[in-house]
């Protein structure tokens, strides 16, 4: 990552930036190298875990742009996930284009949709905004449930990926890794930009932000649209990895709730928070499945973890550690 | 003429209007103090000028240009800056970030840097506290920061709503000295002040508002000495100011 730049050209507070860069670089290299070790025990499981983890990092990090930086909680963000998935999936089914190529297109389409939805939903503030995003989700769900061309509520099958079966997870792994890195980098750049400063300002007080000269509506819509991009991209990749499109995979509110949970656990409005939150929640989930089996006890465990975090880390893990000056430099990306 | 307000009617939501056909004119390079009893519409007047409230009727012209109905950021761009009663700081941001928010409209980085340096020169205390979170400053320091922030965009007209509210008398002196400094830099200041004696003895010109309309205007010292005004509008306020 590049050194933090400040719009005023004022040097950022001195930090142990070089060692942080080295550690993060090593982590990234390990993630890149992982698929080459076919001899790993549970190779496919590890890769699948990577796919899921990177996907949630990308989604939560994207959600955080509008839900964290701008302070507008969206509970309908998975509409972009589903629409990205459907767009790429349908292009594969009807035109034969690979979702790996059209995922970016799906992202751009979601970006444009984000502008459109933002124009409507940002007429509301606070709780009314949250409800308007739920309404958006419900409307999109009804639309896809009844659109027979895409199979309605039964869904539609996609052709399987044309890769040898022993390598089948590798392209998905890298696609999700690129999305995760891209979305975190996007969040990082926003956090260090004037745009990010403006979002933080309007999250604190919209009237004050307006008086300071921010066209808050435009900022919010831009944040919403940018936060839709990578959600659309990973939706396309995820749909292809399942080879199946069905509304209940994408358009259930639990998907959006998961983004919110991960962001809150990690630290809403911080750059590293969504990454930490995604790792914690997925680790807890996997662990409880391993320990208790697929007994849905994992949901209980998740609830307990969330309670614990809210009790002891009211600003999320990263946010609270930073508040107390105990955030390790390695996680200080703001 | 810098600002020309004609027959403006404005209020909150669907409630009856607070400003009821108010007209007043502000000349360039002068200082004004708006006084009047509670509910007269003083703060509402400022909020309407800077675009937080949209006038229901009437016209507002700034340097000959019609500005009623513009967004606050557009009005700021035209050169009208507002320091509200609650000081409009972002308490969770640092001093420097707050100053950058003050200069949000500046696109040129070098200019932003220059303005920042100038503000720090005029307010050395802020330079010392550049990385301190604004919410942890004292009330006086916060008011200084709020005023210093306006220097970032060098507005032509500065609207200040009760800058002395909740401050110790010594600090109030500092605030008024700062406003005098701003006047010397060529800014026109439109001040709303509960402490009428204090505000009027500082300003060149006074406006007396009551029930949402302009009741009287004139040279500030004249208003202070006008027995009728004193009795009607300054009674308790004047007594308080002279304590």
């Amino acid at each position: 990552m590049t050194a933090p730049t400040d719009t005023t050209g004022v040097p950022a507070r001195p930090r142990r930036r070089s060692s942080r860069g080295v550690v993060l670089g090593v982590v990234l290299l390990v993630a890149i190298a992982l698929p080459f070790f076919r001899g790993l025990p549970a190779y496919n499981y590890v890769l699948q875990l990577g796919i899921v983890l990177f996907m949630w990092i990308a989604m939560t990090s994207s959600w955080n742009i509008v839900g964290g930086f701008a302070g507008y909680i969206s509970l309908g963000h998975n509409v972009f996930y589903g629409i990205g998935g459907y767009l790429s999936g349908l292009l594969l089914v009807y035109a034969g284009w690979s979702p790996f190529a059209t995922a970016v297109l799906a992202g751009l389409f979601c970006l444009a949709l984000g502008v459109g939805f933002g124009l409507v939903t940002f007429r509301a503030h606070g709780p009314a905004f949250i409800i308007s995003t739920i309404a958006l989700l419900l409307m999109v769900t009804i639309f896809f449930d009844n659109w027979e061309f895409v199979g309605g509520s039964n869904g539609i099958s996609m052709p399987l990926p044309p890769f040898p079966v022993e390598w089948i997870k590798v392209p998905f792994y890298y696609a999700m890794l690129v999305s995760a890195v891209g979305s975190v980098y996007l969040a990082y750049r926003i956090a260090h930009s004037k745009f990010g400063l403006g979002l933080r300002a309007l999250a604190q007080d919209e009237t004050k932000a307006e008086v300071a000269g921010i066209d808050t509506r435009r900022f919010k819509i831009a944040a919403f649209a940018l936060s839709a991009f990578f959600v659309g991209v990973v939706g396309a990749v995820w749909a292809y990895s399942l080879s199946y499109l069905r509304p209940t995979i994408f358009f259930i509110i639990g998907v959006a709730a998961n983004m919110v949970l991960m962001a809150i656990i990690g630290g809403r409005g911080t750059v590293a928070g969504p990454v930490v939150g995604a790792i914690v929640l997925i680790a807890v989930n996997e662990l409880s499945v391993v320990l208790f089996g697929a007994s849905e006890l994992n949901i209980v465990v998740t609830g307990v973890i969330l309670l614990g975090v809210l009790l002891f880390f009211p600003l999320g893990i990263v946010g609270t550690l930073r508040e107390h000056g105990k955030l390790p430099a390695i996680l200080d990306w703001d | 003429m810098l600002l020309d307000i004609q027959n403006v009617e404005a209020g909150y939501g669907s409630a009856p209007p607070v400003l009821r056909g108010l007209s007043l004119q502000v000349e360039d390079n002068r200082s004004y103090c708006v006084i009047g009893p509670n509910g007269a519409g003083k703060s509402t007047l400022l909020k309407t000028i800077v675009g937080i409230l949209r006038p229901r009727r009437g016209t507002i012209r700034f340097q000959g240009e019609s500005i009623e109905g513009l967004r606050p950021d557009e009005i700021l761009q035209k050169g009208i800056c507002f320091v509200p009663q609650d000081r409009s700081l972002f308490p969770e941001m640092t001093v420097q970030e707050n100053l950058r928010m003050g200069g949000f409209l500046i696109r040129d980085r070098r200019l932003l840097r220059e303005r920042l340096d100038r503000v720090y020169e005029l307010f050395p205390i802020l330079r010392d506290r550049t990385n301190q979170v604004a919410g942890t400053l004292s009330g006086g320091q916060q008011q200084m920061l709020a005023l210093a922030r306006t220097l970032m965009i060098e507005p032509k007209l500065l609207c200040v709503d009760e800058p002395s509210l909740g401050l110790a008398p010594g600090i109030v002196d500092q605030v008024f000295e700062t406003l005098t400094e701003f006047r010397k830099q060529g800014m026109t200041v439109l001040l709303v002040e509960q402490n009428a004696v204090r505000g009027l003895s500082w300003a060149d010109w006074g406006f007396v508002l009551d029930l949402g309309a302009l009741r009287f205007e004139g040279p500030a010292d004249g208003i202070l000495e006008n027995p009728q005004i004193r009795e009607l509008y300054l009674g308790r306020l004047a007594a308080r100011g002279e304590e």
Side-chain angles (χ1 to χ4, degrees):
Chain A
M1 283 184 186
T2 57
T5 49
D6 192 281
T7 47
T8 56
V10 180
R13 278 166 289 159
R15 289 194 197 111
R16 283 162 288 170
R17 209 181 303 146
S18 52
S19 68
R20 184 186 63 179
V22 169
V23 176
L24 292 178
V26 168
V27 170
L28 191 58
L29 277 179
V30 168
I32 291 171
L34 201 65
F36 291 97
F37 298 100
R38 265 213 62 87
L40 277 177
Y43 176 79
N44 271 330
Y45 171 74
V46 171
L47 251 56
Q48 181 65 23
L49 199 60
I51 291 173
V52 171
L53 176 64
F54 298 148
M55 177 176 82
W56 282 108
I57 289 177
M59 292 219 278
T60 307
S61 213
S62 300
W63 179 90
N64 190 41
I65 295 170
V66 68
F69 297 158
Y72 272 79
I73 294 188
S74 162
L75 276 176
H77 237 56
N78 50 330
V79 296
F80 302 118
Y81 185 53
I83 288 171
Y86 267 86
L87 183 79
S88 271
L90 293 177
L91 283 174
L92 175 66
V93 171
Y94 290 105
W97 296 353
S98 168
F100 288 116
T102 57
V104 176
L105 199 71
L108 291 174
F109 185 72
C110 287
L111 191 105
L113 269 183
V115 174
F117 291 156
L119 280 170
V120 180
T121 50
F122 282 116
R123 291 179 176 278
H125 299 259
F129 173 82
I130 304 179
I131 291 168
S132 77
T133 60
I134 298 175
L136 172 70
L137 175 60
L138 292 177
M139 284 191 293
V140 172
T141 311
I142 291 169
F143 176 75
F144 275 95
D145 270 342
N146 293 286
W147 192 15
E148 285 309 322
F149 182 68
V150 300
S153 56
N154 290 325
I156 187 169
S157 272
M158 293 156 65
L160 291 174
F163 310 122
V165 74
E166 65 267 36
W167 295 110
I168 196 145
K169 293 216 178 288
V170 177
F172 294 105
Y173 178 90
Y174 282 120
M176 289 298 189
L177 179 59
V178 168
S179 304
V181 173
S183 59
V184 173
Y185 184 64
L186 176 69
Y188 174 85
R189 288 307 296 260
I190 290 176
H192 290 270
S193 70
K194 195 172 160 178
F195 175 59
L197 181 72
L199 290 183
R200 273 169 57 211
L202 76 87
Q204 279 182 44
D205 191 315
E206 217 150 305
T207 310
K208 288 180 188 174
E210 266 170 35
V211 174
I214 295 172
D215 182 349
T216 52
R217 206 162 132 74
R218 230 184 55 208
F219 269 59
K220 287 184 283 187
I221 291 170
F224 198 60
L226 284 172
S227 79
F229 178 79
F230 277 109
V231 179
V233 171
V234 298
V237 176
W238 184 246
Y240 195 27
S241 81
L242 298 177
S243 308
Y244 202 79
L245 296 168
R246 201 179 53 212
T248 49
I249 297 171
F250 302 99
F251 298 117
I252 48 173
I253 200 162
V255 177
N258 241 346
M259 299 184 216
V260 182
L261 281 186
M262 288 173 176
I264 288 175
I265 287 174
R268 207 153 68 86
T270 65
V271 180
V275 180
V276 173
I279 292 173
V280 168
L281 211 61
I282 286 174
V284 166
N285 235 315
E286 288 301 309
L287 214 67
S288 59
V289 168
V290 169
L291 289 176
F292 312 119
S295 55
E296 302 207 332
L297 255 176
N298 55 330
I299 297 170
V300 178
V301 175
T302 306
V304 172
I305 294 285
L306 183 67
L307 272 178
V309 167
L310 287 180
L311 261 177
F312 298 108
F313 298 92
L315 298 171
I317 295 169
V318 173
T320 306
L321 285 178
R322 196 174 52 192
E323 178 102 332
H324 295 297
K326 285 179 186 153
L327 186 65
I330 182 93
L331 285 176
D332 191 7
W333 303 350
D334 286 281
Chain B
M1 194 185 304
L2 192 65
L3 184 74
D4 183 13
I5 300 175
Q6 291 292 345
N7 289 314
V8 160
E9 202 177 290
Y12 303 86
S14 55
V18 178
L19 300 182
R20 303 163 194 217
L22 179 130
S23 304
L24 60 79
Q25 283 80 39
V26 169
E27 301 288 342
D28 205 0
N29 215 353
R30 270 179 135 171
S31 53
Y32 294 85
C33 180
V34 183
I35 62 162
N38 285 334
K42 305 185 294 291
S43 297
T44 309
L45 167 65
L46 294 192
K47 285 181 194 162
T48 308
I49 294 172
V50 300
I52 296 174
L53 284 177
R54 203 177 264 261
R56 294 176 191 168
R57 201 176 298 159
T59 58
I60 305 175
R61 290 180 162 278
F62 182 64
Q63 299 184 306
E65 222 180 318
S66 176
I67 58 163
E68 78 270 359
L70 292 186
R71 288 192 312 264
D73 59 293
E74 291 169 325
I75 289 175
L76 181 64
Q77 191 99 53
K78 304 254 183 239
I80 304 181
C81 202
F82 179 44
V83 180
Q85 256 178 45
D86 65 0
R87 285 155 201 161
S88 81
L89 294 176
F90 295 95
E92 289 163 38
M93 289 187 180
T94 64
V95 167
Q96 169 140 332
E97 283 170 335
N98 268 289
L99 291 173
R100 277 174 59 194
M101 286 306 302
F104 203 85
L105 289 172
I106 303 172
R107 287 173 198 279
D108 181 0
R109 280 185 191 195
R110 201 183 319 147
L111 184 64
L112 189 62
R113 181 73 255 185
E114 274 173 30
R115 296 264 172 91
L116 255 179
D117 283 340
R118 229 195 63 206
V119 167
Y120 283 143
E121 228 165 85
L122 283 167
F123 300 89
I125 177 97
L126 296 181
R127 191 200 293 276
D128 298 340
R129 293 169 185 267
T130 178
N131 282 327
Q132 189 174 333
V133 174
T136 62
L137 297 172
S138 74
Q141 288 164 345
Q142 288 191 23
Q143 187 60 267
M144 284 301 161
L145 177 57
L147 290 173
R149 222 172 69 129
T150 64
L151 279 184
M152 292 296 293
I153 58 149
E154 301 191 332
K156 296 188 192 76
L157 175 63
L158 175 62
C159 300
V160 193
D161 198 357
E162 304 217 20
S164 67
L165 198 74
L167 298 181
I171 310 288
V172 172
D173 291 343
Q174 276 182 37
V175 167
F176 276 96
E177 277 164 32
T178 307
L179 289 175
T180 305
E181 184 60 37
F182 285 10
R183 282 281 304 110
K184 281 185 196 149
Q185 313 233 353
M187 247 186 242
T188 299
V189 179
L190 182 59
L191 170 75
V192 162
E193 188 53 71
Q194 278 279 9
N195 188 338
V197 172
R198 186 73 211 239
L200 285 171
S201 47
W202 173 80
D204 303 328
W205 195 266
F207 293 122
V208 182
L209 251 60
D210 195 10
L211 298 172
L214 186 66
R215 298 292 150 185
F216 187 84
E217 67 174 310
D221 37 6
I223 292 185
L224 274 175
E225 280 149 23
N226 184 323
Q228 218 177 341
I229 304 268
R230 276 192 87 95
E231 190 171 338
L232 274 173
Y233 301 111
L234 287 174
R236 259 179 53 228
L237 297 172
R240 197 197 299 165
E242 281 162 356
E243 270 167 19

